[in-house]
Amino acid sequence: MPTDPSTPRRPGTPGRDEAYVVDTRRRPKRPRGGAVAPPRPDERDLGPTAPPHEPRYRWRKGRIALVVLLVLLVAWIGFMVWVPMQAWGAVNKVDNIPDGERPTDTSGYNYLLVGSDSREGLTKEQRKKYATGNAAGNRTDTIMLVHVPESGGKPVMVSLPRDSYVPIPGHGSNKINAAYSIGGPKLLTDTVEQVTGIHIDGYIEIGLGGFASVVDSVGGVDICVARDMNDKKAGIDLKKGCQTLDGGNALGYVRSRYEDPLGDIGRAARQRQFLGALMKKAATPSTVLIPWRYKSFADASAAGLAVGQETGIADAVRVLQAMRAVSNDEGLSLSVPTSDVAYRTSAGALAVKWDTERAKALFRALKDDEPLTEPPPGTTVEGAKNS
């Protein structure tokens, strides 16, 4: 029934054009006594709160960072493995396995490390720069026996002076480097095996140009030169003292012998010293942790290397580790005991004669893989150390 607009309204009563408003909010119950109950915990004013998804966001962000680091680590490890494997595929293989009966293969690993003075692959400019001359044919400037023990002793590098007067199978007695000139790696390996009684497990050879490139790839090698060295035939004029040698000077340093009062013996000592220093430099962070330098070292090493057909990358790693151990005084740097460094052969040539008894004792110890911690008698020469 419509309401007369003139009729006065009771207080709180809506008019014709007004609607009822109902407060549906839940109000706190009044406890007995008339006091108002305190608000529930979820109704209190707790101040500003963190966004509800921030913890999850932080967790996701940390997980992404961890995944990125793992990916980078795996990529780096893969690169470190791929580089030497890829370089090894470019290494030249040579036949060094002797025919006929060979010494028994005993405990430990024995490798023949050879530095060839072949000019093959060198340009005219390089031959002039390195003072190598133009001699034809192949000879060896460096011959070393590297022993890696399984008995717990120290790794051993033994120089076999290139002028050592020894029997060469099928060719009488001659300087040991003649074996390489006559029959290459195979006859040289056969000669070393027969004269030492040691089975050779692997063969590694590096040429002149390859050696210089390897040195340059690591930015030069630090060497302490024992005395002034001015040798035109080796292309060097070095002053006494510690210095960094580039590829050309390094090559002359390890080749020089005419100005050395110890001749071939002194040169062999410098070769062992330098190879150890080279491996020490190759293992430094400045080489390993810089990708392009690490790859450059691997590629230069592979380009200058020739290895035996049965020599694998694991064998090369053992040789490198042995040289590094020698550079850190954790290995032995030795020379074959000699009795005469100016021995006159039947042909009238000057050669190096070994001390038979002491040489046999050294080779027997290596063959039996005896743990060596100190140089055996006669294996070091006074004045031959250059470091």
Side-chain angles (χ1 to χ4, degrees):
M1 181 176 182
T3 304
D4 185 354
S6 60
T7 304
R9 290 183 299 160
R10 288 181 297 174
T13 302
R16 183 176 56 178
D17 298 327
E18 296 179 0
Y20 285 97
V21 178
V22 180
D23 186 358
T24 60
R25 289 179 298 178
R26 191 172 182 180
R27 299 182 181 183
K29 296 181 179 180
R30 291 180 176 272
R32 295 178 181 177
V36 179
R40 295 181 302 174
D42 57 345
E43 295 178 343
R44 294 174 183 169
D45 184 8
L46 299 179
T49 58
H53 299 297
E54 186 171 345
R56 183 179 297 177
Y57 172 76
R58 289 180 179 177
W59 181 82
R60 286 179 178 176
K61 188 175 181 181
R63 185 174 63 172
I64 291 173
L66 180 60
V67 170
V68 170
L69 287 176
L70 288 176
V71 169
L72 291 176
L73 179 61
V74 170
W76 178 255
I77 294 174
F79 176 77
M80 296 291 287
V81 173
W82 173 79
V83 166
M85 294 298 293
Q86 177 267 339
W88 186 257
V91 172
N92 185 35
K93 295 282 187 176
V94 298
D95 182 10
N96 79 298
I97 306 302
D99 299 322
E101 188 175 352
R102 303 178 64 188
T104 303
D105 191 1
T106 55
S107 178
Y109 300 92
N110 299 290
Y111 302 103
L112 196 56
L113 179 61
V114 175
S116 167
D117 68 352
S118 171
R119 278 71 174 168
E120 185 178 353
L122 292 177
T123 64
K124 290 183 178 180
E125 291 74 16
Q126 288 176 319
R127 294 186 184 195
K128 182 178 180 180
K129 177 181 178 181
Y130 301 148
T132 63
N134 297 298
N138 293 336
R139 287 167 297 277
T140 53
D141 267 349
T142 306
I143 305 174
M144 292 186 190
L145 183 62
V146 180
H147 177 74
V148 180
E150 291 183 305
S151 61
K154 292 182 177 181
V156 180
M157 290 174 59
V158 183
S159 290
L160 310 180
R162 63 175 246 169
D163 289 342
S164 298
Y165 195 66
V166 299
I168 298 177
H171 298 276
S173 293
N174 205 332
K175 296 180 181 180
I176 195 170
N177 69 332
Y180 186 89
S181 298
I182 296 170
K186 178 179 286 191
L187 184 57
L188 178 61
T189 301
D190 193 13
T191 299
V192 172
E193 286 192 338
Q194 298 307 317
V195 77
T196 64
I198 296 174
H199 181 94
I200 300 300
D201 298 298
Y203 177 90
I204 299 177
E205 175 186 324
I206 186 169
L208 295 180
F211 180 85
S213 297
V214 170
V215 173
D216 286 334
S217 74
V218 295
V221 175
D222 299 330
I223 281 291
C224 292
V225 181
R227 63 185 181 282
D228 291 350
M229 297 180 66
N230 187 354
D231 188 343
K232 292 182 179 180
K233 290 187 176 181
I236 56 172
D237 184 9
L238 304 176
K239 303 302 179 183
K240 177 180 178 180
C242 297
Q243 54 201 283
T244 301
L245 301 184
D246 62 12
N249 281 325
L251 186 59
Y253 180 75
V254 299
R255 292 180 61 224
S256 177
R257 65 170 177 159
Y258 293 106
E259 61 80 46
D260 195 322
L262 293 172
D264 205 22
I265 301 297
R267 176 168 69 169
R270 277 183 276 112
Q271 291 169 348
R272 296 194 305 274
Q273 174 209 14
F274 191 88
L275 287 175
L278 174 58
M279 289 305 102
K280 187 174 184 179
K281 180 63 176 292
T284 59
S286 63
T287 299
V288 177
L289 299 181
I290 299 178
W292 54 89
R293 180 170 287 182
Y294 176 66
K295 190 174 188 307
S296 177
F297 170 73
D299 291 344
S301 299
L305 281 183
V307 300
Q309 292 178 339
E310 297 182 359
T311 304
I313 191 170
D315 298 307
V317 169
R318 290 190 190 100
V319 173
L320 295 178
Q321 289 176 337
M323 290 192 291
R324 184 184 177 192
V326 169
S327 72
N328 293 330
D329 293 326
E330 297 172 355
L332 298 178
S333 176
L334 312 176
S335 182
V336 174
T338 59
S339 60
D340 191 350
V341 296
Y343 176 73
R344 185 71 65 176
T345 70
S346 58
L350 289 177
V352 174
K353 190 176 186 302
W354 292 356
D355 183 324
T356 304
E357 294 304 316
R358 286 183 167 180
K360 284 183 177 180
L362 170 63
F363 297 138
R364 185 166 53 248
L366 296 179
K367 181 177 181 178
D368 295 341
D369 199 24
E370 295 180 9
L372 296 178
T373 57
E374 298 294 335
T379 57
T380 56
V381 180
E382 188 68 26
K385 189 175 182 180
N386 291 272
S387 59

